[in-house]
Amino acid sequence: MNETLALLMNHRSIRKFADKPVSEDQLKTIIAAGQMASNSSNVQAYSVIAVTEAGLKKRLAELSGNQAYVEECPVFLVWCADLHRLKYCADLHAPGQPTYEDTAENLIVATVDTALAAQNAAVAAESLGLGIVYIGGIRNRIEEVSQLLELPDRVYPVFGMCVGVPAQEPMLRPRLPVEAVLHRNRYDGRKHAAEVARYDETMSAYLRERTGGKQDTPWSRLMADRLVQPVRMHMKAFLENRGFFRR
């Protein structure tokens, strides 16, 4: 186990932050590390908005489902898939020619680029002694978030990320067994029954310890409950209206 692996294996989401700032040097280093992530054909189809204004963080916390740590963290990063910059390049060098930024493929490219950069940034932040938590709730009221941050067409907020000095040390959340996600040569769905059952036991034990015996719902039950509920059904229409996912 080397230092890098130890850092990765010790990741946990931080939702309480000390009243200490993230310095400008730290912020730039974190973003620069994010930029060094792999991306598709060097398009680098993402942008990051670092939110530090108290009033703006408060409003974003409300729009994200009243998650207090969005307001309380010193820096809230909004990671955006960004095809607006690429459209500028096309208009600069190929004015008048049809462009295809609105395809499903380019939506995938921009979203994946954003996620890869963000995860690099998360690891960089943790290497500096900071903590992070991803905020998917930024998509709950995504049109209002986009207007608040003055996002142009062809840019959408994929997720937020709270960054700051940790003020808690939560338990490590167990992951699925490696064999549940690692397939060899071909996909093997026959393993689901055994591996999911094994993980259900692990997660039930974890929840009992974390909640003092108040909860022990198996993971598979939680996932079933999640899948039978419609979540953020506005996303397709939002993306189409913003110039994504039309073809």
Side-chain angles (χ1 to χ4, degrees):
M1 183 75 73
N2 59 40
E3 185 177 346
T4 302
L5 285 172
L7 180 66
L8 291 169
M9 296 296 190
N10 198 47
H11 167 74
R12 60 200 82 187
S13 294
I14 300 299
R15 294 177 173 85
K16 292 183 180 179
F17 298 94
D19 187 17
K20 297 179 180 179
V22 173
S23 72
E24 184 68 13
D25 284 346
Q26 287 175 319
L27 175 61
K28 287 183 176 179
T29 297
I30 290 166
I31 300 304
Q35 289 184 271
M36 293 309 295
S38 299
N39 69 91
S40 180
S41 303
N42 203 35
V43 298
Q44 303 172 75
Y46 58 87
S47 289
V48 191
I49 300 176
V51 180
T52 55
E53 293 179 10
L56 195 52
K57 284 192 297 176
K58 179 179 176 61
R59 182 59 179 149
L60 287 169
E62 294 168 355
L63 294 174
S64 299
N66 296 309
Q67 300 187 63
Y69 27 94
V70 173
E71 181 180 358
E72 294 164 358
C73 69
V75 178
F76 184 61
L77 302 180
V78 181
W79 291 87
C80 300
D82 184 353
L83 295 175
H84 186 268
R85 185 166 51 237
L86 298 184
K87 184 64 165 67
Y88 163 80
C89 293
D91 290 344
L92 181 66
H93 294 286
Q97 294 189 34
T99 56
Y100 298 90
E101 68 279 353
D102 60 354
T103 63
E105 169 63 10
N106 278 325
L107 172 62
I108 293 171
V109 164
T111 304
V112 171
D113 276 9
T114 305
L116 292 173
Q119 187 57 21
N120 249 35
V123 175
E126 291 176 344
S127 77
L128 296 173
L130 302 172
I132 69 99
V133 62
Y134 283 97
I135 306 295
I138 203 78
R139 301 189 302 277
N140 289 354
R141 296 163 67 179
I142 194 167
E143 182 62 51
E144 291 168 86
V145 168
S146 298
Q147 292 177 9
L148 187 67
L149 299 178
E150 301 180 6
L151 302 184
D153 283 352
R154 305 179 190 89
V155 178
Y156 89 92
V158 183
F159 42 68
M161 179 189 288
C162 299
V163 183
V165 176
Q168 63 174 173
E169 191 171 344
M171 295 170 57
L172 286 173
R173 186 190 298 267
R175 299 305 200 233
L176 282 160
V178 170
E179 288 301 319
V181 300
L182 175 61
H183 300 256
R184 292 174 172 82
N185 300 311
R186 292 171 181 80
Y187 190 95
D188 182 8
R190 296 170 298 179
K191 66 169 70 176
H192 290 335
E195 297 299 342
V196 168
R198 186 150 64 106
Y199 189 53
D200 276 347
E201 293 181 5
T202 300
M203 279 300 296
S204 291
Y206 162 81
L207 287 173
R208 280 194 296 273
E209 182 176 356
R210 179 178 174 178
T211 65
K214 296 178 182 178
Q215 185 180 350
D216 65 353
T217 309
W219 176 81
S220 60
R221 176 75 260 178
L222 294 172
M223 295 304 102
D225 292 344
R226 179 182 179 87
L227 207 58
V228 299
Q229 295 295 326
V231 177
R232 299 179 189 133
M233 299 299 287
H234 56 271
M235 283 300 303
K236 184 174 185 291
F238 167 82
L239 289 169
E240 289 174 340
N241 289 337
R242 286 279 173 163
F244 292 94
F245 202 39
R246 293 175 177 171
R247 285 181 282 181

